[in-house]
Amino acid sequence: MTDAPRFPQAASKPELEEGDVLAPRFDATGLVTAVVTDAESGELLMVAHMNAEALDLTLQTGIAHYFSRSRKGLWKKGETSGALQTVREVRVDCDQDAVWLKVDVAKPEDTCHTGRTTCFYRRVVSSNGHATLVQIEARAASQHS
């Protein structure tokens, strides 16, 4: 683990939106949203959250780290499954309250804990005011039951 990471605050809106200093705007719970895509295909893999320590570790190590809201702790993606995410590029949105990670996944079939290559494996279909989910990606055959 690192010492308590610190990121500067932008002095002004123009500095935040146009400047060259990483000054993430963490929400009231200390998190920013992280959108994660495959570096080669561009496919959306997952959406997670990062606290300052997770972002700092990601930048220092080149391996994606997140903050698990359910477990209330730091989470190194793929540490137990082997599906480590090697970060190729990090982008920040215009007001620095979200980050976009472009990653290579060591075991793509384990990107999602359900045994799929993406956490976005269902499409919402709306008809006559009712929404249903349609599966668009099957589980890997040897994966989770």
Side-chain angles (χ1 to χ4, degrees):
M1 297 270 204
T2 63
D3 293 330
R6 298 285 181 247
F7 291 97
Q9 288 190 329
S12 65
K13 187 174 179 178
E15 182 182 284
L16 179 72
E17 295 177 351
E18 303 294 337
D20 61 0
V21 174
L22 178 61
R25 289 184 42 227
F26 298 98
D27 68 13
T29 62
L31 303 175
V32 294
T33 301
V35 177
V36 186
T37 61
D38 182 276
E40 285 297 315
S41 71
E43 180 179 24
L44 178 62
L45 302 177
M46 57 183 274
V47 173
H49 297 87
M50 300 175 116
N51 63 4
E53 183 178 16
L55 180 56
D56 190 52
L57 279 169
T58 298
L59 295 172
Q60 284 185 30
T61 66
I63 302 295
H65 290 73
Y66 304 102
F67 183 84
S68 171
R69 295 180 302 170
S70 59
R71 290 176 272 175
K72 296 180 180 19
L74 197 62
W75 162 41
K76 181 179 180 181
K77 176 67 176 156
E79 189 167 32
T80 57
S81 69
L84 290 171
Q85 295 178 344
T86 302
V87 178
R88 276 217 227 158
E89 183 177 344
V90 179
R91 293 189 185 188
V92 52
D93 75 336
C94 56
D95 60 356
Q96 298 199 44
D97 65 356
V99 296
W100 174 12
L101 304 181
K102 294 182 180 187
V103 303
D104 294 318
V105 182
K107 289 176 59 185
E109 67 277 8
D110 281 339
T111 293
C112 181
H113 73 279
T114 65
R116 294 177 174 88
T117 61
T118 175
C119 292
F120 292 87
Y121 55 89
R122 295 177 291 180
R123 181 177 22 149
V124 178
V125 178
S126 183
S127 177
N128 298 323
H130 299 297
T132 57
L133 299 177
V134 176
Q135 187 169 307
I136 56 176
E137 182 176 320
R139 272 181 211 223
S142 65
Q143 297 300 313
H144 315 270
S145 54

